[in-house]
């Protein structure tokens, strides 16, 4: 039993407890737990948020007792060093520190002049994407020996047909799409197909265009390129983007200031940075 790590751990913890009791002397604030009115109110609010009603006096007393027990266990764990080298505890504390930085580095709302300058600098972010409507004929690479050649041959015989899904193979998705963006098409057919489709002009049957499923003949029924955005129309979006950008910049500045207080040594090269 003397060789068991758990035994050593319990023995060390007991020794620390005994020595603290013998030599601590006086009043030890770490042994005093004060339950404030604010903490009780927070316990009530959490309970009410979960159960949609306030706690009874007995339930509130139980919540306070649980809070006190948690605080006692927390302090004992810290006294024994259980928080040291614990990945979960480290990440949680780092996360709370990040939240604290975000709270202290909150940006203020800018004047319109700053917003307009931000808008002009990032105008592309506020431009609505092009949309198009199209129909397609599908040729399966799994069902055919040469789906691309079959699609090319069919293209020459389509003439002025508005739609002709029966000229190809059955398709698990739709054959007709209206007012879709490139991102929406790419999610369904793949990025390669989406980029190729939006590079085509609105006209009669074209292709073959390759997708993750096979090959397609496409007829773009309509294609709309939205006009340049006006600041007044997208001011709300510009403000949200500006505040997010400023928040990130201020957070980075605070973190850089904190990092400057530390010397980082690479143990492999013994180089400090």
């Amino acid at each position: 039993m003397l060789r068991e790590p758990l035994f050593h751990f319990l023995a060390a913890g007991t020794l620390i407890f005994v020595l603290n009791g013998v030599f601590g002397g006086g009043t030890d604030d770490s042994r005093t737990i004060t339950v404030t009115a604010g903490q009780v109110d927070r316990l009530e609010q959490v309970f009410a948020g979960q159960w949609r009603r306030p706690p009874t006096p007995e339930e509130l007393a139980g919540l306070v007792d649980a809070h006190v027990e948690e605080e006692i266990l927390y302090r004992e764990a810290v006294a024994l060093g259980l928080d040291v080298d614990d990945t979960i505890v480290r990440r949680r504390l780092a996360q709370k520190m990040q939240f604290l930085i975000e709270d202290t580095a909150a940006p203020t709302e800018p004047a319109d002049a700053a917003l307009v300058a931000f808008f002009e600098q990032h105008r592309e972010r506020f431009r609505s994407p092009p949309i198009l409507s199209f129909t397609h004929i599908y040729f399966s690479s799994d069902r055919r020996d040469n789906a691309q050649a079959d699609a090319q041959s069919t293209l020459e015989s389509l003439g002025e047909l508005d739609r002709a899904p029966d000229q190809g193979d059955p398709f698990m998705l739709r054959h007709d799409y209206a007012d879709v963006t490139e991102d929406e098409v790419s999610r369904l057919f793949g990025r390669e197909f989406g980029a190729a489709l939006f590079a085509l002009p609105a006209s009669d049957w074209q292709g073959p265009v390759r997708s993750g499923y096979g090959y397609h003949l496409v007829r773009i029924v309509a294609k709309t390129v939205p006009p340049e955005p006006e600041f007044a129309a997208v001011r709300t979006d510009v403000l949200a983007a500006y505040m997010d950008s400023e928040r990130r910049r201020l957070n980075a500045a605070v973190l850089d200031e904190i990092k400057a207080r530390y010397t980082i040594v690479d143990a492999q090269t013994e180089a400090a940075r």
Side-chain angles (χ1 to χ4, degrees):
M1 183 176 68
L2 295 176
R3 296 182 179 181
E4 289 294 326
L6 179 61
F7 175 81
H8 296 164
F9 173 79
L10 293 175
T14 302
L15 180 61
I16 292 173
F17 181 82
V18 171
L19 291 176
N20 183 70
V22 173
F23 300 104
T27 301
D28 187 356
D29 288 338
S30 67
R31 298 295 178 184
T32 302
I33 297 176
T34 302
V35 181
T36 66
Q39 290 172 326
V40 175
D41 184 60
R42 183 179 63 82
L43 293 173
E44 288 184 289
Q45 291 179 7
V46 171
F47 183 95
Q50 181 177 359
W51 298 100
R52 301 293 186 269
R53 63 173 177 83
T56 64
E58 293 78 11
E59 289 171 332
L60 182 58
L63 292 173
V64 173
D65 287 343
H67 168 76
V68 170
E69 289 179 5
E70 181 183 80
E71 182 66 22
I72 290 173
L73 292 174
Y74 165 74
R75 295 189 186 186
E76 291 298 315
V78 170
L80 293 176
L82 300 186
D83 57 325
V84 179
D85 295 329
D86 188 305
T87 301
I88 297 177
V89 172
R90 283 169 54 88
R91 289 177 179 172
R92 181 59 177 160
L93 290 176
Q95 185 184 51
K96 293 189 72 172
M97 190 63 194
Q98 184 65 51
F99 291 155
L100 180 61
I101 291 174
E102 291 176 0
D103 288 341
T104 57
T108 57
E109 186 167 329
D112 268 8
L115 276 186
V116 170
F118 181 84
F119 167 72
E120 293 296 341
Q121 185 179 1
H122 304 280
R123 178 182 288 269
E124 187 64 31
R125 293 174 57 178
F126 306 102
R127 180 179 287 111
S128 298
I131 57 174
L132 55 77
S133 302
F134 73 98
T135 182
H136 73 101
I137 305 171
Y138 170 59
F139 296 85
S140 171
S141 297
D142 295 329
R143 295 190 177 200
R144 298 171 181 266
D145 294 332
N146 195 334
Q148 184 177 12
D150 290 347
Q152 185 65 52
S153 176
T154 303
L155 176 63
E156 299 170 0
S157 63
L158 287 176
E160 298 182 357
L161 290 175
D162 288 339
R163 62 188 303 276
D166 56 338
Q167 296 291 316
D169 298 317
F171 189 57
M172 65 179 68
L173 303 178
R174 304 200 310 267
H175 286 89
D176 306 290
Y177 292 85
D179 298 333
V180 289
T181 65
E182 183 175 337
D183 283 343
E184 292 170 334
V185 172
S186 296
R187 283 196 293 269
L188 295 172
F189 293 85
R191 184 64 60 186
E192 179 184 359
F193 180 89
L197 184 67
F198 274 77
L200 295 174
S203 67
D204 292 331
W205 293 100
Q206 305 171 76
V209 181
R210 186 176 182 178
S211 76
Y213 304 104
Y215 290 87
H216 308 255
L217 297 178
V218 297
R219 189 175 77 84
I220 300 178
V221 179
K223 186 174 184 179
T224 303
V225 179
E228 285 291 315
E230 296 292 338
F231 173 75
V234 295
R235 186 186 185 283
T236 301
D237 294 335
V238 174
L239 176 60
Y242 177 92
M243 296 294 283
D244 181 66
S245 177
E246 278 296 286
R247 187 177 298 108
R248 292 174 182 273
R249 184 185 67 81
L250 292 173
N251 288 348
V254 172
L255 188 57
D256 287 343
E257 182 180 343
I258 295 174
K259 285 180 179 179
R261 305 172 192 167
Y262 292 82
T263 299
I264 312 300
V265 178
D266 189 329
Q268 295 180 341
T269 62
E270 293 298 330
R273 56 185 177 90

